[in-house]
Every structure is written in structure tokens, then in C-alpha cells.
Amino acid sequence: MSLELQIYDTFTAQKRPLETLQPGECKVYCCGPTVYDMSHLGHGRAALLPDVLVRFLRYSGLKVTYARNVTDVNEKIVKRAEAAGQSEAELAQHFLDEYHHDLDAMRVLRPDIEPTVSGHIQEIIEMTQTLVDKGLAYPLEGDVYFSVPDFPDYGKLSKRDMEGQRAGGRVAVDERKRDPADFALWKAGKPGEPTWDSPWGAGRPGWHIECSAMSRTQLGDSFDIHAGGMDLIFPHHENEIAQSQGACGHDTFARYWVHNGFVNFAGEKMSKSLGNFFTMREVTALYHPEVLRWFLLSVHYRRGVNFDVEVACPSCGVAMSGEAQQAGKCESCGAEADREALRSRVRFPGLEEADDRVAYVYETLAAAQAFVANGVEDDGGEVDPAIAAFLDAFVAKMNDDLNTAAAFAELSEPLSVVNRLLASKKGVDKNVRKRSIKRFVDQMSAVASICGCFERDAEGYLAERRDLKARRIGLDVAKVESLLAERAQAREDKDWAQADAVRDQLAELGVKIRDVAGQSSWAL
């Protein structure tokens, strides 16, 4: 399969055909987590962009090497470890394990390479020394700063004018610097922090130099695609370009810069610093991880995702606005409620819709798989036109800047056609019917490999989803099982009136019954 991907490059501010350094190969780097706490939905979305990119590149026939770093040396880790009575390494490993757990649940592929800052200290020191030797950085009382005015191309990624720029992100203002925009490559050690010996004294790396050193070590001086959240464009990625190009002496670092939009809550970017975040674990305790994956992919990666949250006041039961949730005070009754109290009354409308949609796809897929399980073959003959065109249309949308939202929309007509073919034999040649359903099942396997959804066993997914929904709505599962047993006994006794009466009771609870081949199952 030929590569036809057009991808938006932040540096040139336009969609460009992907042309890799080495034909048939692609090297991808993504800024990963700083592991000091549980990961929120913004971290999940940042991991999904390179995941879908890598999946699609591999589907298109490329050999992909994917690296995603881990920041395990950071002042936040130091503070959290001290408070927890752990070493920095123990705390970082714990939260890295939790990060992996959450992403594994969402079917996010593990990177081929996962470099850590602590494992690349020597490479960081060497790159810093190279920048000093070239006159692009200067030592200052145990610190080392990059000299921004000495790198003329600074600001081209973020489209910022150098005039008036100040150090940003995690860099504190320091009046000792030659220029306010200069940023730290190496920081002198402080009491209680882990330090390493260097030519400038004991210290630790600055934030930005980490990724330059790790990407160079793992992927080379230049590679194909650098991914990350839009919040990293300035200063982090801008600084990476300056460091890497300055140290390596060429004008290419990453050939393409690909950035995902934010997850927004109550009109603001979801982040730990603002306190307006939900962890992936909190959400997937209520909704299947695949629902969260679908929800995040149902919006184009460069757009913001609006994460709407409905919360009922614990005191009066009235829905609270986003502002009231942030303030922790109900607008209706004036009662105050802390974060944990509000979280016990939360509902996510967008995830409810995604939950229904993913269940519909899996229900269709389960029925189609059961149909073809009896040995139905696709001999390449005539199939329904909507199904014949389905996969090509899906791939075309993915080739247009990984437009997962538009690609998902291509599922609608084939799903409708398959359900119609499964429900009735009338008006359709039996071989066309069989081939069409078989072709759909095969194409859905390709779709699953690209988007990471619908890879699970359909019946197993539906059972997990049902149990989670029952928990959300407070359904008494034991009562449902008891009524199902009562109905089964009535059917065995051929007491059809009683069986129908029990079915009606279950329907009042929102329970749907499926009777297939003498077996009954239930869904919500």
C-alpha cells in the first residue's frame, strides 16, 4: 500500500504530504509524561495522537520506530516523594506503572523505545557542553543557560517575535541571565534534590534539554515526526529546536511537528495546575476505556475536546454549572460541596452518547461475526455498494490529516446495511448478502487495527459495558438475574404469559433481553 498521508505541520502551518527521511521507514518521537501523579484525560489525548499515527503508518506499510520519553527527574517528583516517604525513583516508577495501566486499558500501543531522563544524564551533559563550546550557551554560578539571541531562528515554530519574549513554562525568572528569554539547560543542585556531577558542578538537567538529548540518542540528529500537545509548542518545542539544531549543526531537527488540541472543562484547558481535571482512572471506573478512546477520537486531533460534566448538587439535587462546580458552591441552594462530594454525583453526557454508539457497533459486529462463523466466505463477487466502498472511504479520511472524526462517520451506512441484511433475506441475492456481511467483518478488522477500537471480543465487551452501566445507574443486578431465572423457568414450563410479564418487568428497569439459539442474555 502506498503512503498518501497529508499531515498538518505546525512549523510550516500547512498540510504536507508525509515524506520520510528513509523510504519505507518512519521515526516518531512524542513528549511523554512527568510521572508524579495519576494521569488525567489531557494526558490520554496526548498519547492517542501518536498511537493512531503509528497505527496508520504501519497499516500503510511503513516500518515505524516510535519513542516516547518519561520525565522522571523533576522538582514535582522530589516534593511528592518527600511527602510520601519514598525515593524519587520509587515514586516515579509507581506513577509510570499507573500511566501504563491506564493507556493499556485504552488500547494505546506501548512505544518501541521509552527513554528516561535519569537514563540519559551523560548525553544531556554532553549536549550542554557542545552548546557551551559553540557559544550558544553560558555557565552561570553552577547553572547553564541557552543564549536565545545567538540562535536567529528562535520563534519560528511558535510564530513568536523575539522582541519582548520572556522565559516561560517551567523556567523561573532570573535577573542574572544575559537575556530574559534565555532558558536553563542545567540547574545547580539544591538541598534535598537528586544531583549528578557535571563540568559546572553538581546539579540536574533543565526541562527542555531532556527531549533534545533523548530523541538524538534514540532516533538520531534528525527524525521524521515530533508529536505533543499544543501547550508544548512554546516554550518546550521551540527550545528543543534551538538546542538540537544548535548542537548538531544543521537546519533540520524534526521534519514534521504534529500537535493535538486540549481537553477543555468548563471552557478551560484541563490541567493539574488549574485543578479542573479528571483522571483517566476516575472516568474508566464509570465507562469502558474504549468509550473514552472513541470519545477522544471523535473530534479531530487538532481541535479542542469539550468535556462536559453534569453534576447534581448533593444537597438539593439540582444540576450545577461548570462555574459552580469549580467554586464548589451550588447556585440554587448555596450549599458548599468539596471535590470528592461532587465527584460522587458526576455524569458525562458526551461519554453517554459515545457509550451508546460503541455498543451499537459491537452489537452489529457480534451479530455479523455469528453469521459468518458457519463458514461464510467472500469469493470476491458482488457485495452491497456501501460495504464495497467502506474501507477505502475510511482510509481516505485518515489520509487527510488523520481525520478520525470523519473516518468514524464512514461507519454509519455500512452498519445500517449490515443490520438490514442480518434482519431480512428479502430482496437481496443470498450470495450477495453473505459476501457483504463477510466483507464487513473483514473490513472492521482493518478499521480496528487503524483506530484501536473494536479490537476486543464483541460479546465480552458488551458484558463489561453492561455491568459498568448498571453500576452508573444503580441497577440491582442481583434482581435482574433473579427475574431472568424466573423468566427462563416460565419459558421452560411454557407459561408464556408469565414469561412475557417478567420481560415487561425487566423492560421497566431498562433491561433488553436477547434470545438466541435457546439462550438468553441481557443488555442496557
Side-chain angles (χ1 to χ4, degrees):
M1 179 180 293
S2 62
L3 181 64
E4 300 178 8
L5 176 63
Q6 297 267 341
I7 195 160
Y8 186 87
D9 172 29
T10 305
F11 195 91
T12 58
Q14 63 182 352
K15 279 194 281 191
R16 298 167 51 204
L18 180 61
E19 297 176 353
T20 58
L21 281 165
Q22 297 294 326
E25 298 183 17
C26 188
K27 294 182 179 180
V28 179
Y29 183 87
C30 178
C31 291
T34 300
V35 282
Y36 71 95
D37 203 346
M38 297 296 289
S39 300
H40 60 62
L41 298 183
H43 298 125
R45 194 179 195 206
L48 274 177
L49 166 58
D51 179 64
V52 172
L53 171 64
V54 168
R55 284 172 174 272
F56 188 60
L57 291 174
R58 287 175 177 161
Y59 173 81
S60 300
L62 271 68
K63 177 185 177 182
V64 180
T65 302
Y66 170 36
R68 182 184 66 211
N69 82 289
V70 175
T71 297
D72 62 345
V73 176
N74 180 273
E75 59 271 19
K76 293 179 180 178
I77 296 173
V78 172
K79 293 178 181 178
R80 187 70 182 267
E82 183 179 4
Q86 292 179 288
S87 70
E88 291 84 3
E90 288 173 334
L91 182 108
Q93 186 61 54
H94 168 72
F95 284 115
L96 177 58
D97 291 342
E98 297 292 353
Y99 177 75
H100 285 155
H101 178 278
D102 289 338
L103 295 188
D104 288 348
M106 277 210 300
R107 284 289 206 269
V108 174
L109 301 173
R110 294 279 182 105
D112 302 302
I113 308 167
E114 196 168 45
T116 62
V117 174
S118 62
H120 288 72
I121 298 297
Q122 188 58 40
E123 291 85 351
I124 291 169
I125 291 172
E126 290 172 0
M127 180 173 272
T128 301
Q129 183 65 63
T130 298
L131 290 167
V132 172
D133 293 343
K134 289 188 172 185
L136 291 171
Y138 55 94
L140 184 63
E141 300 174 6
D143 298 328
V144 181
Y145 286 96
F146 187 92
S147 178
V148 170
D150 290 316
F151 187 77
D153 286 341
Y154 192 83
K156 286 191 174 180
L157 176 70
S158 58
K159 314 298 183 290
R160 296 190 178 211
D161 193 319
M162 264 294 299
E163 186 64 30
Q165 289 300 325
R166 294 294 182 267
R170 306 179 194 180
V171 182
V173 174
D174 187 342
E175 294 181 355
R176 301 174 304 153
K177 295 187 296 184
R178 296 177 184 173
D179 188 275
D182 293 351
F183 57 89
L185 302 175
W186 188 261
K187 296 183 177 182
K190 296 178 181 178
E193 289 187 348
T195 60
W196 290 265
D197 291 335
S198 79
W200 317 284
R204 63 177 177 84
W207 174 36
H208 312 294
I209 192 68
E210 300 168 359
C211 283
S212 287
M214 286 186 281
S215 63
R216 183 188 192 187
T217 301
Q218 301 299 334
L219 300 180
D221 290 355
S222 184
F223 54 91
D224 298 296
I225 301 173
H226 197 312
M230 287 184 177
D231 55 331
L232 299 181
I233 295 174
F234 186 87
H236 186 50
H237 289 167
E238 195 74 73
N239 292 352
E240 278 189 63
I241 291 172
Q243 295 161 162
S244 295
Q245 291 185 0
C248 298
H250 54 69
D251 60 2
T252 303
F253 173 38
R255 290 166 60 86
Y256 298 81
W257 289 86
V258 182
H259 294 96
N260 65 274
F262 302 133
V263 177
N264 298 317
F265 168 66
E268 293 186 280
K269 184 191 85 169
M270 185 178 290
S271 71
K272 289 180 181 176
S273 61
L274 292 174
N276 64 341
F277 67 92
F278 288 86
T279 67
M280 288 187 276
R281 195 71 57 83
E282 286 176 311
V283 173
T284 55
L286 298 171
Y287 298 87
H288 198 287
E290 186 151 337
V291 171
L292 178 57
R293 183 181 181 98
W294 171 279
F295 174 77
L296 293 174
L297 291 178
S298 64
V299 176
H300 190 280
Y301 75 85
R302 286 193 286 117
R303 291 178 53 201
V305 173
N306 294 316
F307 197 77
D308 295 325
V309 183
E310 291 182 357
V311 178
C313 171
S315 297
C316 68
V318 174
M320 297 171 62
S321 69
E323 291 77 10
Q325 294 167 39
Q326 294 261 32
K329 186 173 183 179
C330 179
E331 298 154 311
S332 297
C333 69
E336 295 186 355
D338 62 22
R339 177 182 172 83
E340 295 308 315
L342 291 178
R343 267 165 155 61
S344 67
R345 306 296 297 274
V346 71
R347 179 179 180 274
F348 307 106
L351 290 180
E352 290 291 334
E353 294 177 14
D355 184 51
D356 290 340
R357 186 61 178 172
V358 175
Y360 168 64
V361 178
Y362 265 116
E363 286 165 356
T364 305
L365 192 55
Q369 289 171 338
F371 179 86
V372 304
N374 295 323
V376 174
E377 298 294 336
D378 180 2
D379 58 10
E382 181 186 356
V383 299
D384 184 280
I387 292 174
F390 163 45
L391 185 57
D392 286 345
F394 187 95
V395 170
K397 295 299 190 297
M398 293 297 297
N399 271 320
D400 183 12
D401 196 25
L402 301 175
N403 195 339
T404 51
F408 283 168
E410 295 294 339
L411 285 167
S412 294
E413 189 174 1
L415 287 167
S416 179
V417 168
V418 168
N419 278 306
R420 188 181 73 242
L421 294 174
L422 288 167
S424 176
K425 301 177 182 180
K426 295 179 180 179
V428 181
D429 177 87
K430 66 177 183 179
N431 291 321
V432 172
R433 178 173 179 261
K434 291 179 179 179
R435 280 194 296 265
S436 296
I437 296 173
K438 171 64 173 169
R439 183 80 57 87
F440 170 79
V441 170
D442 292 343
Q443 290 180 334
M444 283 300 296
S445 178
V447 166
S449 72
I450 294 170
C451 69
C453 297
F454 319 119
E455 294 181 313
R456 294 171 168 86
D457 170 71
E459 292 293 351
Y461 171 84
L462 292 169
E464 292 176 28
R465 179 256 183 182
R466 178 199 66 199
D467 293 344
L468 282 166
K469 186 167 184 177
R471 185 188 307 168
R472 290 200 306 276
I473 65 177
L475 180 67
D476 186 342
V477 175
K479 180 178 180 180
V480 172
E481 297 289 356
S482 176
L483 288 171
L484 285 171
E486 183 180 339
R487 178 175 178 269
Q489 186 62 53
R491 284 163 61 86
E492 184 177 336
D493 297 340
K494 301 190 185 308
D495 186 350
W496 308 118
Q498 177 61 16
D500 289 345
V502 175
R503 176 186 276 275
D504 291 342
Q505 284 183 265
L506 289 165
E508 289 176 3
L509 296 173
V511 174
K512 297 179 287 187
I513 305 298
R514 289 198 302 167
D515 297 314
V516 180
Q519 299 293 321
S520 297
S521 62
W522 64 282
L524 291 169

